[in-house]
Amino acid sequence: MHRERFYTLSASCPDQVGIVAKVSGFIADLNGWILETSLHAEPPANGEPVGRYFMRFEIRADSIPFHLAEFRSRFAPLADALQMDWKITDSAVKKRVVILVSKQEHCLYDLLARWQSKELDVEIPCVISNHADLRGFVEWHGIPFHHVPVTADTKAAAYAEVRRLFEEVRGDTLVLARYMQILSPDLCAAYPGRIINIHHSFLPSFVGAKPYHQAWAKGVKLIGATCHYVTEDLDQGPIIEQDVIRIDHSDAVEDMVRYGKDIEKTVLARGLRYHLEDRVLVHGRKTIVFR
Amino acid sequence: MHRERFYTLSASCPDQVGIVAKVSGFIADLNGWILETSLHAEPPANGEPVGRYFMRFEIRADSIPFHLAEFRSRFAPLADALQMDWKITDSAVKKRVVILVSKQEHCLYDLLARWQSKELDVEIPCVISNHADLRGFVEWHGIPFHHVPVTADTKAAAYAEVRRLFEEVRGDTLVLARYMQILSPDLCAAYPGRIINIHHSFLPSFVGAKPYHQAWAKGVKLIGATCHYVTEDLDQGPIIEQDVIRIDHSDAVEDMVRYGKDIEKTVLARGLRYHLEDRVLVHGRKTIVFR
Amino acid sequence: MHRERFYTLSASCPDQVGIVAKVSGFIADLNGWILETSLHAEPPANGEPVGRYFMRFEIRADSIPFHLAEFRSRFAPLADALQMDWKITDSAVKKRVVILVSKQEHCLYDLLARWQSKELDVEIPCVISNHADLRGFVEWHGIPFHHVPVTADTKAAAYAEVRRLFEEVRGDTLVLARYMQILSPDLCAAYPGRIINIHHSFLPSFVGAKPYHQAWAKGVKLIGATCHYVTEDLDQGPIIEQDVIRIDHSDAVEDMVRYGKDIEKTVLARGLRYHLEDRVLVHGRKTIVFR
Amino acid sequence: MHRERFYTLSASCPDQVGIVAKVSGFIADLNGWILETSLHAEPPANGEPVGRYFMRFEIRADSIPFHLAEFRSRFAPLADALQMDWKITDSAVKKRVVILVSKQEHCLYDLLARWQSKELDVEIPCVISNHADLRGFVEWHGIPFHHVPVTADTKAAAYAEVRRLFEEVRGDTLVLARYMQILSPDLCAAYPGRIINIHHSFLPSFVGAKPYHQAWAKGVKLIGATCHYVTEDLDQGPIIEQDVIRIDHSDAVEDMVRYGKDIEKTVLARGLRYHLEDRVLVHGRKTIVFR
C-alpha cells in the first residue's frame, strides 16, 4: 500500500493490439502518475477466437486534475470502445468488511490484529456469528456483534438476517473466517465475487467436512488451506490463494489442525488483502491475482 | 549415510509396554553400537484394540561380534515373541534398482547424476524403456538398456518381458521415472512395496492423465508431485514423499510442466532414497517415513 | 499434545553403548507406557573423545505406579551413572510464561489467541511492556499488565523491575514478543535457556536493528525470522526455529515488514511450543529440537 | 517461452509521467502484438530526485512489419528522449552459454538435461573445466570440452585462456556451475552482468569457503543457495534467485551437502533462465527480475 491517496483502475476486455497504449495514453494525457501497473493476456479458451486482457493501474490521486466521477465519465467512452468490464476505486474510501465466524477464534484474532494495526485498513461495521462465544472479544474492539443462530429449521431465516445485516451496514465484502456453515445458494448468488471463504484443505483435495481427517486417512505429506470466492458449488469457487505446510507420520489429526490454523489465517489474510486492493480479477472459474 | 558399514533393522509389531527396552536391550547385550534410532507409535485404528509400533535402528557392523545370518537367527525368537514384521539389511550389500523410462529425460538424468557421484549408492543393472531415445545416454554410463515397446496389443507380453528382465538381474526395486505407461495389475501385485512411481501432481488432486492441464483448468496456485508405491489402483498407492511449487495466472500449462519437472525429480530422488535406506514402512494405505 | 496426563523426561549424556536400553529398560520395569520417544547421537566435536546423546520420552502418568518425586529419586542413580543432565516434567503442571512486548501487537495477538483456545496451554501470569498501548487488550483477557518504561537513564532499574516481576510470579519462561529493547547482560545471564526472542531476519543475516531495511538494501529474494534463546551476545543465541517467505523487487520495505510479521508470529509460536514441551535441548551454541 | 518467434525489449530510464504510454504507443503504432509486459517503478534512492522505471515487453515478431535493425533505428529517438538503457533481442537467435565446471557433476548434469530437452534453448559452444573428469560426459553430448588447469602459479594464464575461449566462441554468458575457483578481478570486470555463479548458501550468510560447514556450526534450521552475477567482490554481486530447504539437528554436514545440491541446481537453472530471457535488469547492487 502506498502512503499517498491513489485510484485503482482494474479492468478486462477482449484482447487486441494497442490496449495498453490506449489506456496508458489516456492516463498520460491527464498527466496521471502511475504508481503500479499489472497486465496479463489470457490466451483464447478452446473454441474462442480471441483471448482476454486483464489490467490494473494504481494512479496517484493528486496527479489527476479532477474527481473520480469526472474520471469515470471521461474514461467510459474508451472503456466502451474496448468492451471493458472495469471499475475504479479510491484508496481514501475504506472498504466495508463484514466477518462471519463460528466458535474458532484464530482467524478472527488474526484479522482484528491486522485491523488494529491498520495493516488491514478497512471498516468492519459488524461481526456476525452463529454462536455468542466471541461477542466479548469483538465488542472490546468497538465492533458491533450479532448473534444469528443457525439450526436446521431456521436456516432460511438466519441467512435472510445475515443478508439484511450486510445490506444494512452497506457491506462490500463478506468474509467467512472459519464460519463452519454452508451459506444458502441464494445468499451466494446475491454477492458474486464478494464473499470470501477459507477452506482448510489444499483444494481440490478434501472438499467438504473434516478435511484434516481426510488428509490424515490419505497419508499426505503436506496439508494446506485455500482462500476462494464462494459460489453455490461447495468449495468450488474461484481460488484466490493457497499455501501448504509439511507434516509427517508423527502428526495426529490434532497436530494437523494446529498446523493448519497457521496456514488458514495467513492464506485468508493474504487472499482478503488481494481482494480488497482490487488485485483479483475473476475469469470464469479461475482468478488473475496481480500480487 | 554413514561412512562405516552398518546394519539397518526395520520392524513393526503390535504396540505394548517394553518394546524398545527389549529390542535395544538385545542390541546392547551384543555391545552393538546404535548410530541412529527412529521410533513411532501409531494409535489403534477404529475398532482395533491396540496400535502398532514402528522402529528402525542403524547399528555399526563392526560392533556386532558375528555376521548378519547369526544376528538374524539370534534375533528371531524376540521378533517372534513380539509378533514382528522385520528385516535387517547390510549397507555393504548394494540394492539393485531397475529404472523404467519413456522419452522424458529429466528424472533419468537426475538419477544417473546421483548414481555417478555415489550419492545414490546402488547397482543399476539395467534401464528399460518403451522407446529407444535414451539408449545412448544410458549405455554411455555403462548400463545395459532394453527397449521393450508397449502397444495396446502387446501389453501383456511387454510387461512379462519387464518382469523377466527384473527377475533376471535380481532387481530389488523398480522405479518408474516418468514411465508414462500404466503397469499391468499382475506386475503391480507381484512386487508390493517394491515399485516406486513419481506422479506429476499433488495427490490426491489430479489423478490420471494430464495433471498439469487439470491443475491449469482448476486455477490452483501451487502445483506438486508425489512419489508413491505402485498398487493396482492407479495413483492410489501409499504416498512416500510430496512437494509443491508456487505458480500464478501468468504460467501456462507449458510453464507448469517446466516447473513441475524440478519438483518431480527432487521428490522422486528423495522418496527413492528413503525407500532404499529402509526408512519407509508401509502401514495399510499410508507410510511411516523415518527421515 | 496428548490428552492423557504424561511425564516428559528429557536428558543428555556422554555417548556410549546401551543408553537407550538402560533408560527404556528402567521405564519398562515400571511398566511405564511410552507415548513418544526421540533420540539423537551428536558426533564428537573436534578434539573430544566421545559424542553426546540426547533423548526425550513422553510417558503416560497413569502407567507409573507412583508420583513424580518418587520417579525422580529412583531414576537418579541411573542418571548419575550415565553422567546425565536431565529433567522430568508433568503435563498437569502448567508452565508460567511472562511476555514482554513493546507497541507492535501482532505477536501478542497471536500468542493470546493460542492461549485463549488452549493450543498454548500455559499460565500467563503477566505481560510487561515499555509502553502502555496494549494494556487494555491484555487486561481484557484477565491478564495483569505492567508498564515498565525503559529509557537510557533508567535501564538498570527497568530490567531490575522486569526481573523482580518475573520472580514474583515464579515465571518459567520469558518471551520477547517483538520487545524491541536489548535486555541487560545480567538479565540474560540470569535465565540461560529460559528467555526466548523472535528476531525479524533469517539469522545469521541481518543482525541488529532494521533487518528489513538491510534485506531490502541487499536485494535478497527471501526474508525470514528466527526464534532463539537470548544470550548476552545480541542475536547470537542458540537458534530454535526459522522460516522464510519469498519476496521480489516490487516489495518495498513496508511490504517486507508486513510479510515478515506473518513469519515472525508463526516462528515464535512454533519455537515457544517446542520449548514449553521440552523438545529443545541446548548443545553449546546449537539446539537439538525433537519436533 | 512462447512458441512463436518474438522480440524482447528490456529497458530502464529515469521515471516520469507517460513512459508506458509512449513505449506501448510506439509498439501499437506498428501494430505490434505484445505477448507479455512487465513494469516496475523503483522509488528514488536516498538523495536522488527521481526514481527509475524498468520495463520488459515480448512482441510477436511476425506482427512487426520490418526487421529488428529497422525496429532499433526507429525506436532509438524515443529511447534517447527517455534517456533509456535498452536492448532488444530476437528469440530466433540462440544465446551462447559457456559453462565452467570443476569435478562436481550435479549442476552440469542438470543443465545438460535441460539443454537436451530444449527447455534450455541455447547454444553451448563449449564447457571449460580445471579438471578432466567430466570430459567424457560433455563430449558424449557433442559439446567441446576444454581442460584448463588452475594452480596458484598459473592463475593469470589460466583465466586468460578462459577468456580467450569465451571470446573465440563468441560467448554471451559464462556460467560457473559449481566451478569452485575464484575468477580473477579482470575477468569479472570484463563481462559485467554476463557471468553467473551459484553459491551454496543463502547469501549474505556464509560467504566464501565451506558454507555448509559454517551453517552446521551455526545451527541454522534452513540452508539455501544463491544465484548471482559475479563481480570483483567475492559472493557480493547482484542476487538473481535464492531458495532454501529445511534441515534439522539430525543432518550432518554431508546431509546438508546432499540437500544443498538439489537447491543449487534448481536455483542456478531458474536464475540462468531469467537471465537468458532478459528478465533480469541490474539496478546498482540489486536486480529487478520480471518472472
Side-chain angles (χ1 to χ4, degrees):
Chain A
M1 295 285 270
H2 307 278
R3 297 273 170 58
E4 318 92 335
R5 181 176 171 188
F6 60 93
Y7 303 137
T8 301
L9 172 64
S10 56
S12 71
C13 63
D15 204 357
Q16 65 174 77
V17 165
I19 298 168
V20 176
K22 283 172 186 152
V23 176
S24 60
F26 174 87
I27 298 169
D29 287 347
L30 299 175
N31 222 27
W33 183 273
I34 299 177
L35 292 163
E36 194 175 315
T37 312
S38 306
L39 305 166
H40 173 64
E42 187 78 5
N46 284 339
E48 286 183 19
V50 66
R52 193 157 183 88
Y53 204 79
F54 296 83
M55 70 205 84
R56 179 183 180 278
F57 300 86
E58 290 185 7
I59 309 159
R60 277 181 64 159
D62 62 10
S63 72
I64 299 287
F66 37 66
H67 290 300
L68 211 47
E70 175 83 5
F71 186 103
R72 282 195 184 98
S73 67
R74 293 206 189 194
F75 185 66
L78 175 56
D80 288 350
L82 292 169
Q83 298 174 262
M84 263 187 186
D85 287 337
W86 67 287
K87 65 174 175 177
I88 187 163
T89 57
D90 181 346
S91 68
V93 179
K94 293 194 183 183
K95 301 266 175 77
R96 300 174 68 78
V97 176
V98 171
I99 301 174
L100 277 171
V101 292
S102 189
K103 287 182 171 184
Q104 291 199 28
E105 64 276 90
H106 58 288
C107 286
L108 182 68
Y109 262 77
D110 189 73
L111 291 174
L112 293 195
R114 295 172 198 270
W115 172 78
Q116 190 82 324
S117 69
K118 303 218 185 305
E119 176 195 315
L120 182 63
D121 197 19
V122 299
E123 304 284 346
I124 302 181
C126 67
V127 170
I128 305 171
S129 179
N130 56 332
H131 293 283
D133 304 53
L134 294 167
R135 175 186 296 279
F137 180 71
V138 169
E139 291 182 346
W140 181 85
H141 286 84
I143 299 170
F145 179 93
H146 302 287
H147 180 201
V148 180
V150 176
T151 65
D153 292 343
T154 62
K155 274 202 174 171
Y159 292 125
E161 175 65 4
V162 168
R163 188 166 174 177
R164 193 192 62 76
L165 287 165
F166 186 67
E167 291 291 337
E168 185 179 76
V169 300
R170 302 182 322 284
D172 293 301
T173 301
L174 188 61
V175 176
L176 282 65
R178 296 303 310 280
Y179 179 53
M180 313 294 279
Q181 298 291 323
I182 300 171
L183 296 190
S184 61
D186 62 304
L187 184 52
C188 299
Y191 304 109
R194 291 172 60 190
I195 311 180
I196 288 179
N197 184 42
I198 179 72
H199 182 72
H200 41 317
S201 85
F202 183 73
L203 292 173
S205 290
F206 312 134
V207 165
K210 292 192 174 289
Y212 293 124
H213 288 79
Q214 295 182 55
W216 186 88
K218 181 66 191 170
V220 292
K221 303 302 184 187
L222 301 160
I223 54 168
T226 303
C227 178
H228 63 95
Y229 287 116
V230 173
T231 63
E232 297 176 50
D233 297 322
L234 180 64
D235 299 333
Q236 298 294 325
I239 294 170
I240 303 170
E241 175 65 339
Q242 299 185 293
D243 213 340
V244 295
I245 192 167
R246 187 165 288 274
I247 54 161
D248 70 21
H249 60 266
S250 69
D251 292 306
V253 170
E254 297 73 41
D255 298 305
M256 293 187 186
V257 168
R258 191 190 62 235
Y259 281 117
K261 284 178 176 177
D262 287 350
I263 299 295
E264 292 161 27
K265 65 194 184 195
T266 310
V267 166
L268 174 57
R270 282 208 296 256
L272 179 58
R273 185 170 60 82
Y274 297 150
H275 168 79
L276 293 170
E277 293 180 11
D278 298 310
R279 296 180 179 277
V280 188
L281 287 83
V282 175
H283 179 48
R285 302 173 63 181
K286 301 168 61 176
T287 61
I288 313 301
V289 181
F290 291 127
R291 295 183 61 199
Chain B
M1 295 284 272
H2 307 278
R3 296 273 168 60
E4 318 92 333
R5 180 175 171 188
F6 61 93
Y7 303 136
T8 301
L9 172 65
S10 55
S12 70
C13 63
D15 203 356
Q16 64 174 78
V17 165
I19 297 169
V20 175
K22 283 170 186 154
V23 176
S24 61
F26 174 87
I27 298 168
D29 287 347
L30 300 173
N31 222 28
W33 183 276
I34 298 176
L35 292 162
E36 193 175 316
T37 311
S38 305
L39 306 166
H40 173 64
E42 187 78 6
N46 283 340
E48 287 183 17
V50 66
R52 193 158 182 88
Y53 204 78
F54 297 83
M55 70 205 84
R56 180 183 180 276
F57 299 88
E58 291 185 5
I59 309 161
R60 277 182 65 159
D62 63 8
S63 72
I64 299 287
F66 37 69
H67 290 300
L68 210 48
E70 176 81 5
F71 186 101
R72 281 194 184 99
S73 66
R74 292 204 191 197
F75 186 66
L78 175 57
D80 287 349
L82 292 169
Q83 297 174 262
M84 263 189 186
D85 286 336
W86 67 287
K87 65 174 174 176
I88 186 163
T89 58
D90 181 346
S91 69
V93 179
K94 292 193 185 185
K95 301 267 175 76
R96 301 174 67 78
V97 175
V98 172
I99 302 174
L100 278 171
V101 290
S102 190
K103 287 181 170 183
Q104 291 200 29
E105 64 278 86
H106 59 286
C107 286
L108 183 68
Y109 262 77
D110 189 71
L111 291 175
L112 293 195
R114 294 173 199 268
W115 173 79
Q116 191 84 324
S117 69
K118 304 219 184 305
E119 177 195 316
L120 182 62
D121 197 18
V122 299
E123 304 284 346
I124 302 181
C126 67
V127 170
I128 306 172
S129 180
N130 56 332
H131 294 282
D133 305 52
L134 294 167
R135 176 186 294 280
F137 180 72
V138 170
E139 291 183 346
W140 181 85
H141 285 85
I143 299 170
F145 179 92
H146 301 288
H147 179 200
V148 181
V150 176
T151 65
D153 291 344
T154 63
K155 274 202 172 169
Y159 292 125
E161 175 65 4
V162 168
R163 190 165 172 178
R164 193 192 63 75
L165 288 164
F166 186 67
E167 290 291 336
E168 187 178 76
V169 300
R170 304 183 318 283
D172 293 303
T173 301
L174 188 61
V175 176
L176 282 65
R178 294 303 310 278
Y179 178 53
M180 312 294 280
Q181 298 291 322
I182 299 170
L183 296 190
S184 60
D186 62 304
L187 184 52
C188 298
Y191 304 110
R194 291 172 60 191
I195 311 179
I196 288 180
N197 184 44
I198 179 71
H199 182 73
H200 41 317
S201 85
F202 182 67
L203 291 173
S205 290
F206 312 135
V207 165
K210 293 193 174 289
Y212 293 124
H213 288 78
Q214 295 181 55
W216 186 87
K218 180 66 190 171
V220 290
K221 301 303 184 188
L222 299 161
I223 54 169
T226 303
C227 177
H228 64 94
Y229 287 116
V230 173
T231 62
E232 299 175 46
D233 297 321
L234 181 63
D235 300 333
Q236 297 294 326
I239 294 170
I240 303 170
E241 175 64 342
Q242 301 186 293
D243 214 340
V244 295
I245 194 168
R246 187 165 287 274
I247 54 162
D248 70 20
H249 60 267
S250 69
D251 292 306
V253 171
E254 298 74 40
D255 298 304
M256 292 187 187
V257 169
R258 191 189 63 235
Y259 280 117
K261 284 178 176 177
D262 288 350
I263 299 295
E264 292 162 26
K265 65 194 186 197
T266 309
V267 166
L268 174 58
R270 282 208 297 255
L272 179 58
R273 185 169 61 80
Y274 297 150
H275 170 78
L276 293 171
E277 293 181 8
D278 299 309
R279 295 180 180 279
V280 188
L281 286 84
V282 174
H283 180 47
R285 303 173 62 181
K286 301 169 60 176
T287 61
I288 313 301
V289 181
F290 290 127
R291 296 184 61 197
Chain C
M1 296 284 270
H2 307 278
R3 297 273 171 58
E4 316 92 336
R5 180 177 172 187
F6 60 94
Y7 302 136
T8 301
L9 172 64
S10 56
S12 70
C13 63
D15 204 356
Q16 65 173 76
V17 165
I19 297 169
V20 175
K22 283 172 187 152
V23 176
S24 60
F26 174 87
I27 298 168
D29 287 348
L30 299 174
N31 222 28
W33 184 274
I34 299 176
L35 292 162
E36 194 176 315
T37 311
S38 305
L39 305 166
H40 173 65
E42 187 78 4
N46 285 337
E48 286 183 18
V50 66
R52 195 158 182 88
Y53 203 79
F54 296 83
M55 70 205 84
R56 179 183 181 278
F57 300 87
E58 291 185 5
I59 308 160
R60 277 181 65 157
D62 62 8
S63 72
I64 299 287
F66 37 68
H67 290 300
L68 212 47
E70 176 83 5
F71 186 101
R72 281 194 184 98
S73 67
R74 293 206 189 194
F75 186 66
L78 175 57
D80 287 349
L82 292 169
Q83 297 174 262
M84 262 187 186
D85 286 337
W86 68 286
K87 66 174 174 177
I88 187 163
T89 58
D90 182 345
S91 68
V93 179
K94 293 194 184 184
K95 302 265 175 76
R96 301 174 67 77
V97 176
V98 171
I99 302 174
L100 278 171
V101 291
S102 190
K103 287 182 170 183
Q104 291 199 27
E105 64 276 88
H106 58 288
C107 286
L108 183 68
Y109 262 76
D110 189 71
L111 291 174
L112 292 195
R114 294 172 199 270
W115 172 78
Q116 190 83 326
S117 70
K118 303 218 184 305
E119 176 195 316
L120 181 63
D121 197 19
V122 299
E123 304 284 346
I124 302 181
C126 68
V127 170
I128 306 171
S129 178
N130 57 331
H131 294 282
D133 304 53
L134 295 167
R135 176 187 295 278
F137 180 71
V138 169
E139 292 182 345
W140 181 84
H141 285 85
I143 299 170
F145 179 91
H146 301 288
H147 180 200
V148 181
V150 176
T151 65
D153 291 343
T154 63
K155 274 202 174 171
Y159 292 125
E161 174 65 4
V162 168
R163 189 167 174 177
R164 193 191 63 75
L165 287 165
F166 186 66
E167 290 292 337
E168 185 178 78
V169 300
R170 304 183 319 284
D172 293 301
T173 301
L174 189 61
V175 176
L176 282 66
R178 296 302 310 280
Y179 179 52
M180 312 295 279
Q181 299 291 322
I182 299 171
L183 297 191
S184 61
D186 61 305
L187 184 52
C188 297
Y191 304 110
R194 291 171 61 191
I195 311 180
I196 289 179
N197 184 43
I198 180 72
H199 182 73
H200 40 317
S201 85
F202 183 67
L203 291 173
S205 289
F206 312 134
V207 165
K210 292 192 175 290
Y212 293 124
H213 288 79
Q214 295 182 54
W216 186 87
K218 180 66 190 169
V220 291
K221 302 302 185 188
L222 301 160
I223 54 169
T226 303
C227 176
H228 64 94
Y229 287 116
V230 172
T231 62
E232 298 176 48
D233 297 322
L234 181 64
D235 299 333
Q236 298 294 325
I239 294 169
I240 303 171
E241 174 65 340
Q242 300 186 293
D243 213 340
V244 295
I245 193 168
R246 188 166 286 275
I247 53 161
D248 70 20
H249 60 266
S250 69
D251 292 306
V253 170
E254 297 75 40
D255 298 304
M256 293 187 187
V257 168
R258 191 190 62 234
Y259 279 117
K261 284 177 177 178
D262 287 350
I263 299 294
E264 292 160 28
K265 66 193 184 197
T266 310
V267 166
L268 174 58
R270 281 208 296 256
L272 179 59
R273 185 170 61 81
Y274 297 150
H275 169 79
L276 292 171
E277 293 180 10
D278 298 310
R279 296 180 179 279
V280 189
L281 287 83
V282 175
H283 180 46
R285 302 173 64 180
K286 301 168 59 176
T287 61
I288 314 300
V289 181
F290 290 126
R291 296 181 60 198
Chain D
M1 294 286 269
H2 308 278
R3 297 273 169 59
E4 318 93 335
R5 181 177 172 187
F6 60 92
Y7 302 136
T8 301
L9 172 65
S10 55
S12 70
C13 62
D15 203 356
Q16 64 173 78
V17 165
I19 297 169
V20 175
K22 282 171 187 153
V23 176
S24 62
F26 173 87
I27 298 169
D29 287 346
L30 300 174
N31 221 27
W33 183 275
I34 299 176
L35 291 163
E36 194 176 313
T37 311
S38 305
L39 305 165
H40 173 63
E42 187 78 5
N46 283 340
E48 287 182 17
V50 67
R52 193 157 184 89
Y53 204 79
F54 296 84
M55 68 205 85
R56 180 182 180 278
F57 300 87
E58 292 185 6
I59 308 160
R60 278 181 64 159
D62 62 9
S63 73
I64 299 287
F66 37 68
H67 289 300
L68 211 48
E70 175 82 5
F71 186 102
R72 281 195 184 97
S73 67
R74 293 204 190 196
F75 186 67
L78 174 57
D80 287 349
L82 292 170
Q83 297 173 264
M84 263 189 186
D85 287 335
W86 67 288
K87 66 174 174 175
I88 186 163
T89 59
D90 181 346
S91 69
V93 179
K94 290 193 184 184
K95 301 266 175 76
R96 301 174 68 77
V97 175
V98 172
I99 302 174
L100 277 171
V101 290
S102 191
K103 287 181 169 184
Q104 291 199 29
E105 64 276 88
H106 59 285
C107 286
L108 183 68
Y109 261 78
D110 190 72
L111 290 175
L112 293 195
R114 294 173 198 270
W115 172 79
Q116 190 83 324
S117 69
K118 303 217 185 306
E119 177 194 314
L120 182 62
D121 197 18
V122 299
E123 305 283 347
I124 302 181
C126 68
V127 170
I128 306 172
S129 179
N130 57 332
H131 294 283
D133 304 53
L134 294 167
R135 177 186 294 279
F137 180 71
V138 169
E139 291 183 345
W140 181 85
H141 285 85
I143 298 170
F145 178 92
H146 302 287
H147 179 201
V148 181
V150 176
T151 65
D153 290 343
T154 63
K155 274 203 173 169
Y159 292 125
E161 175 65 4
V162 168
R163 188 165 174 178
R164 193 192 63 74
L165 288 165
F166 186 66
E167 290 292 336
E168 186 178 75
V169 301
R170 304 184 318 283
D172 293 302
T173 301
L174 188 61
V175 176
L176 282 65
R178 294 304 309 280
Y179 179 54
M180 313 294 280
Q181 299 290 322
I182 298 170
L183 297 190
S184 60
D186 61 304
L187 184 52
C188 297
Y191 304 110
R194 289 171 61 191
I195 311 180
I196 288 179
N197 185 43
I198 179 71
H199 182 74
H200 41 316
S201 85
F202 183 72
L203 291 173
S205 290
F206 312 135
V207 166
K210 293 194 174 290
Y212 292 125
H213 288 78
Q214 296 181 53
W216 187 86
K218 180 66 191 171
V220 290
K221 303 301 185 189
L222 300 161
I223 54 169
T226 303
C227 177
H228 64 95
Y229 287 116
V230 173
T231 62
E232 298 175 47
D233 297 322
L234 181 63
D235 300 332
Q236 298 294 327
I239 294 170
I240 303 171
E241 174 65 340
Q242 300 186 293
D243 214 340
V244 294
I245 193 168
R246 187 165 287 273
I247 54 162
D248 70 21
H249 60 267
S250 70
D251 293 305
V253 170
E254 297 74 41
D255 298 305
M256 293 186 185
V257 168
R258 191 188 63 235
Y259 280 117
K261 285 178 175 177
D262 287 350
I263 300 295
E264 292 161 27
K265 65 194 185 196
T266 310
V267 167
L268 174 58
R270 282 207 297 255
L272 179 59
R273 185 169 62 79
Y274 297 151
H275 170 78
L276 293 170
E277 293 180 10
D278 298 310
R279 295 180 180 280
V280 188
L281 287 83
V282 175
H283 180 47
R285 304 173 62 180
K286 302 168 61 175
T287 60
I288 313 301
V289 181
F290 290 128
R291 296 183 61 199

